[in-house]
Amino acid sequence: MEFILFFAGVLALLLVYFLWENRRHERNLAQLSLRIHVNGTRGKSSVTRLIAGGLRAGGKSVVAKTTGTAAQLILPDGSEEPLKRRGPANIRENIGLIQKAVDLGADTIVFECMALQPDLQNFCERRLIKSHLGVITNVRADHEDVMGKGLTNIAAALANTIPAHGTLVTTPAAAALLAPHLHGTQMVVAEASEVPPEFVQGFPYPVVPENLALALQVCNLAGVDTITALTGMQQAAPDAGNLHVNLVTL
C-alpha cells in the first residue's frame, strides 16, 4: 500500500512538472514573433544560416540552430556556440533552446529540423516550434529506412513540419510532391532561375542557387528587402560542411 501511494505521488509530481513546463514553453513561444522551421533532404543547415543572416541584417534579433555537420547555436550578434549534449540528440533540447532565445531577447528563431522519424518531425513542429514559416528545401531519396521508400513517402514524412496556420516556402520540384499535404496552408515557391548570377557570385564561398532563392523568399515574407537580406547573407558564416567542400575544391 505504501509503495502504491509513493508511486502515485511520484506520478502526480511528474504530471505537475510537465504541465508547468508546457505552460512555460507556450509563454516562451508567444514571445517570439517569428518562428521558422527548416526541413528537407539536403541543404537545411545552409538555408538556416542564410535566413538567419538575412533577417539579422533586416533588424531582427535572431537565434538560429543548425544540426548538420556540427550542431551550432547562432546568437543574435552572429556569434556561435556548439550545442553541448550529454547523450544522443533529443528533440526536447528545443525547449531549453527556445527558453535561451527568449532570455537573450530574441524575437525570431530559425531552427533546422533535427528529427528524421515522421512522428518526431510532427512533434517538433506541432508541439515544440509551431512555426509561422516552414521551409522544405527539397525532397530527395534519402533516409528511406526511416521515411519510407520513394519520393512520395519521403514527401509525406517531411510534410509533418508544414505549418498548420502559416506559410510553406519550397522549390518547384518539391512543391508538386508536397501539394497534397498542404490542407489549407499557403505555399510559396522560390524559383532559383529568378536569382541573378551576381547574387551567387557575391559570396566568399559556394552557394547553391536554390538555397539562396529559398532564403531570400523567406526574408521577403518576413519584411526584409532582397538587397538588405543578401548583404546579411553574404556576411554570415557558412556551415562547416559547406566550408569543408570549399576547401577540398581548392
Side-chain angles (χ1 to χ4, degrees):
M1 187 63 176
E2 290 181 358
F3 174 77
I4 294 175
L5 290 174
F6 173 79
F7 186 68
V10 171
L11 287 178
L13 287 173
L14 286 174
L15 178 60
V16 169
Y17 171 76
F18 285 124
L19 289 173
W20 170 82
E21 182 182 60
N22 182 68
R23 183 172 296 181
R24 182 186 67 170
H25 185 62
E26 290 294 331
R27 286 198 301 265
N28 286 336
L29 289 177
Q31 293 186 63
L32 297 166
S33 58
L34 180 58
R35 302 185 296 273
I36 301 170
H37 200 182
V38 181
N39 201 0
T41 309
R42 288 285 182 270
K44 296 187 293 293
S45 295
S46 295
V47 170
T48 296
R49 287 175 173 275
L50 290 171
I51 293 171
L55 294 178
R56 279 198 306 273
K60 300 285 188 183
S61 179
V62 186
V63 167
K65 171 197 175 187
T66 66
T67 61
T69 305
Q72 296 284 120
L73 194 68
I74 305 171
L75 305 179
D77 64 358
S79 64
E80 302 183 22
E81 59 183 44
L83 289 180
K84 297 178 181 178
R85 295 163 173 154
R86 296 181 179 178
N90 188 305
I91 60 173
R92 282 182 56 81
E93 75 180 22
N94 287 320
I95 295 174
L97 295 177
I98 287 172
Q99 175 70 64
K100 182 166 185 174
V102 170
D103 291 343
L104 290 169
D107 54 37
T108 301
I109 57 169
V110 186
F111 278 19
E112 176 184 347
C113 184
M114 63 184 296
L116 290 177
Q117 291 86 348
D119 57 335
L120 293 182
Q121 291 189 50
N122 185 280
F123 189 84
C124 277
E125 171 56 30
R126 304 289 175 249
R127 298 294 300 277
L128 300 182
I129 297 177
K130 299 184 178 182
S131 62
H132 302 103
L133 292 175
V135 179
I136 296 181
T137 58
N138 42 57
V139 178
R140 298 177 184 172
D142 198 7
H143 299 298
E144 291 182 291
D145 56 325
V146 176
M147 298 189 192
K149 296 290 184 180
L151 295 183
T152 300
N153 284 323
I154 293 172
L158 296 173
N160 280 290
T161 61
I162 293 176
H165 304 287
T167 301
L168 172 69
V169 181
T170 191
T171 54
L177 291 162
L178 295 168
H181 306 283
L182 292 179
H183 306 299
T185 299
Q186 179 186 8
M187 180 165 63
V188 176
V189 178
E191 297 277 0
S193 60
E194 296 180 1
V195 176
E198 57 268 26
F199 283 14
V200 177
Q201 295 162 3
F203 282 80
Y205 54 87
V207 174
V208 177
E210 287 78 6
N211 291 348
L212 182 55
L214 286 166
L216 287 172
Q217 185 63 256
V218 169
C219 288
N220 288 166
L221 289 171
V224 181
D225 69 89
T226 296
I227 299 304
T228 298
L230 182 65
T231 300
M233 292 175 191
Q234 291 174 341
Q235 295 172 351
D239 183 64
N242 188 310
L243 184 60
H244 175 72
V245 171
N246 194 19
L247 290 174
V248 170
T249 302
L250 291 174

